[in-house]
Amino acid sequence: KNEVEQSPQNLTAQEGEFITINCSYSVGISALHWLQQHPGGGIVSLFMLSSGKKKHGRLIATINIQEKHSSLHITASHPRDSAVYICAVSFTGNQFYFGTGTSLTVIP
Amino acid sequence: DSGVTQTPKHLITATGQRVTLRCSPRSGDLSVYWYQQSLDQGLQFLIQYYNGEERAKGNILERFSAQQFPDLHSELNLSSLELGDSALYFCASSVRGQPAGELFFGEGSRLTVL
């Protein structure tokens, strides 16, 4: 049983398109993290959410605690956004579970 | 640059051997997390330390152990290595212990077991 489900697994978009990546989880969490992993392998934390919505530049993350669902939106996508986006949830006690990731390719 | 330093970046060793991976957290961060990323299993949480004490344990094998030292750097020891231990090992740090705060990741240590 996977505690964290991400969709889609793969996504190809044209430059400028609005992109949404979804994450669902099965039990109550203390926080949800959106991570970005570039082809070189390094991981960057984009957002940490426990409620509501956060925005950073062209990236927006929302979370609905009742529905156990989070979305990551990228507005005006750009080829440099091409990466794997990973949803991670932390539970009470700091157990972490990760989604399988969404591989995004943005074509110029 | 996240401020988290991991060494070595790459490591090639043989089955049955033992290796130590090192992580220096960002200045001021008390929590250190270790994660394993393999091709078939994705990212998995191994263990967390906060200010020198173990705080949470994930899917860490008994052959693996970790500790956090008084200067807050951490080491992950992997022993009796098997082919399946080949993976990227990430360390992350955060200011808080529980709940986990924003995570800052190191660049990872790529372990290849031959």
Side-chain angles (χ1 to χ4, degrees):
Chain A
K1 179 178 176 292
N2 195 0
E3 284 77 6
V4 183
E5 299 282 349
Q6 251 186 270
S7 64
Q9 252 187 312
N10 297 285
L11 185 53
T12 301
Q14 292 288 331
E15 184 174 356
E17 282 186 13
F18 181 85
I19 288 161
T20 296
I21 300 170
N22 296 299
C23 176
S24 297
Y25 50 92
S26 55
V27 296
I29 61 172
S30 57
L32 183 143
H33 304 253
W34 280 103
L35 310 174
Q36 180 192 55
Q37 186 171 28
H38 276 284
I43 297 177
V44 173
S45 174
L46 299 174
F47 295 103
M48 187 190 74
L49 296 159
S50 53
S51 64
K53 176 179 174 177
K54 286 189 176 179
K55 184 175 189 290
H56 185 253
R58 294 179 295 105
L59 302 179
I60 303 166
T62 63
I63 188 168
N64 185 317
I65 299 295
Q66 286 72 33
E67 294 185 5
K68 297 185 175 58
H69 180 269
S70 175
S71 293
L72 175 68
H73 305 287
I74 305 175
T75 62
S77 59
H78 190 276
R80 65 173 174 267
D81 297 326
S82 298
V84 175
Y85 293 84
I86 302 167
C87 169
V89 298
S90 58
F91 300 103
T92 303
N94 272 348
Q95 286 291 335
F96 272 85
Y97 291 95
F98 294 87
T100 51
T102 295
S103 179
L104 171 65
T105 303
V106 181
I107 300 169
Chain B
D1 181 8
S2 67
V4 178
T5 304
Q6 283 189 252
T7 57
K9 287 190 170 35
H10 301 276
L11 191 53
I12 302 173
T13 189
T15 54
Q17 295 298 304
R18 173 191 167 95
V19 299
T20 297
L21 309 180
R22 182 188 167 104
C23 171
S24 294
R26 283 191 330 155
S27 176
D29 284 359
L30 299 177
S31 266
V32 170
Y33 300 81
W34 285 99
Y35 303 96
Q36 179 194 57
Q37 187 177 39
S38 59
L39 279 174
D40 57 343
Q41 301 244 16
L43 266 167
Q44 290 195 90
F45 166 64
L46 295 179
I47 197 164
Q48 179 212 1
Y49 280 84
Y50 177 78
N51 204 20
E53 292 188 5
E54 182 185 305
R55 276 295 178 94
K57 217 167 189 175
N59 297 323
I60 188 165
L61 299 172
E62 284 192 12
R63 299 184 285 109
F64 296 0
S65 65
Q67 54 184 323
Q68 186 179 28
F69 294 86
D71 67 353
L72 300 178
H73 91 270
S74 178
E75 292 181 357
L76 179 67
N77 301 296
L78 315 174
S79 61
S80 303
L81 285 168
E82 301 175 0
L83 296 177
D85 298 327
S86 296
L88 256 175
Y89 291 85
F90 287 101
C91 157
S93 73
S94 71
V95 170
R96 295 201 317 241
Q98 186 172 341
E102 183 180 0
L103 299 171
F104 296 87
F105 285 81
E107 292 184 354
S109 293
R110 185 176 295 277
L111 173 66
T112 303
V113 182
L114 301 175

